[in-house]
Amino acid sequence: MNIDVFTLFPGWLDWFRQQRHVANALALGHSLDGVDLRATTPLKGGQVDDTPYGGGAGMVIRVDVVEAALEARWDADAVEGRGDRRVVALAPAGRQFDDALAAELAAEDELAILCGRYEGFDERVHTHLATDVVSIGPYVLAGGELAAMVVCDAVLRKLPGALGHEDSVQEESFSPALEGGPEYPHYTRPAQWRGAGVPEVLTSGDHARVRDWRLQRSRERASGGD
Ligand code: ADE
């Protein structure tokens, strides 16, 4: 899949690209590119934002700046271009990102992610240029770049081969294999530590019992029991 992250700070992605599962995904032929919103701005002096109509603090990223960046990247009309791909605008008031949305996005061939800064985007970016407005949680970040990396991390690790260990994606928190519930507890050596042991079933070698125990623990956690 090809992911373009539209941002005022494309350099933020440099570190992220070097992380193991991201590097694995890139080596498999997927791409993750930072696209500088300032590079194609139609305004003088690299301007990308403006004061909000109606007054108030902060600056708002202009819709014509985002439009120009998308059109330069796609060589197509920015509004029509979203018919060919998901365009995710990141904003604290958007739809809450979750594992199901990560799986949905991981099935796309093309993905554009728009990172806001300052007071965010002109609302017309959400209504006319994006297909989705997504939040990574009910708190306000200084910009969408960290949110973009959260989304990309959750999406890229779902691509076959990115983790190098496919089972980890099949049966992890919120996956269908666990009925959408949180993951069960894990243990490893030492078997005894400060008097805290390991549940007997896990060392029994009885795979059916282990599977059942894990599903039960996941269900317990889902119902708030742990
Ligand atoms: N930009 C600022 N805060 C954000 C959040 N919580 N989620 C997504 N994008 C954001």
Side-chain angles (χ1 to χ4, degrees):
M1 86 184 288
N2 298 313
I3 306 180
D4 286 337
V5 178
F6 293 80
T7 165
L8 291 170
F9 302 99
W12 279 48
L13 291 173
D14 293 346
W15 165 85
F16 182 63
R17 246 190 243 98
Q18 292 165 22
Q19 304 317 302
R20 175 72 65 85
H21 61 296
V22 182
N24 284 348
L26 299 183
L28 287 166
H30 304 290
S31 72
L32 174 66
D33 293 334
V35 182
D36 189 351
L37 283 169
R38 212 179 290 277
T40 48
T41 178
L43 308 172
K44 283 199 289 285
Q47 185 189 346
V48 291
D49 55 2
D50 228 316
T51 51
Y53 282 123
M59 300 292 275
V60 177
I61 298 185
R62 290 174 52 135
V63 63
D64 49 355
V65 167
V66 180
E67 174 191 39
L70 294 174
E71 296 195 337
R73 186 68 175 173
W74 297 341
D75 199 18
D77 181 82
V79 174
E80 285 165 15
R82 65 180 177 170
D84 296 333
R85 56 183 70 71
R86 294 283 278 272
V87 181
V88 173
L90 293 165
R95 162 186 175 188
Q96 176 102 31
F97 186 62
D98 60 14
D99 196 67
L101 182 53
E104 221 177 283
L105 297 178
E108 300 284 328
D109 292 332
E110 302 276 333
L111 182 61
I113 300 181
L114 311 179
C115 302
R117 275 271 148 182
Y118 320 121
E119 292 307 302
F121 292 112
D122 181 300
E123 182 62 16
R124 291 165 291 184
V125 170
H126 298 170
T127 55
H128 289 67
L129 299 179
T131 57
D132 305 75
V133 183
V134 171
S135 165
I136 63 159
Y139 39 78
V140 181
L141 302 167
E145 286 74 18
L146 286 174
M149 286 187 250
V150 167
V151 170
C152 288
D153 193 288
V155 167
L156 289 173
R157 66 192 297 287
K158 289 193 181 294
L159 301 178
L163 290 186
H165 189 279
E166 297 316 303
D167 291 352
S168 11
V169 184
Q170 290 307 317
E171 199 177 283
E172 65 180 2
S173 290
F174 320 119
S175 62
L178 292 180
E179 301 167 344
E183 201 160 344
Y184 44 77
H186 296 282
Y187 294 86
T188 187
R189 280 173 277 277
Q192 284 296 332
W193 177 78
R194 292 190 180 223
V198 173
E200 174 276 327
V201 57
L202 296 180
T203 54
S204 69
D206 184 336
H207 298 302
R209 271 183 68 214
V210 169
R211 221 174 11 255
D212 186 56
W213 180 87
R214 286 177 166 168
L215 187 55
Q216 293 310 323
R217 298 292 82 73
S218 172
R219 285 177 179 158
E220 264 171 32
R221 284 184 165 178
S223 62
D226 186 2

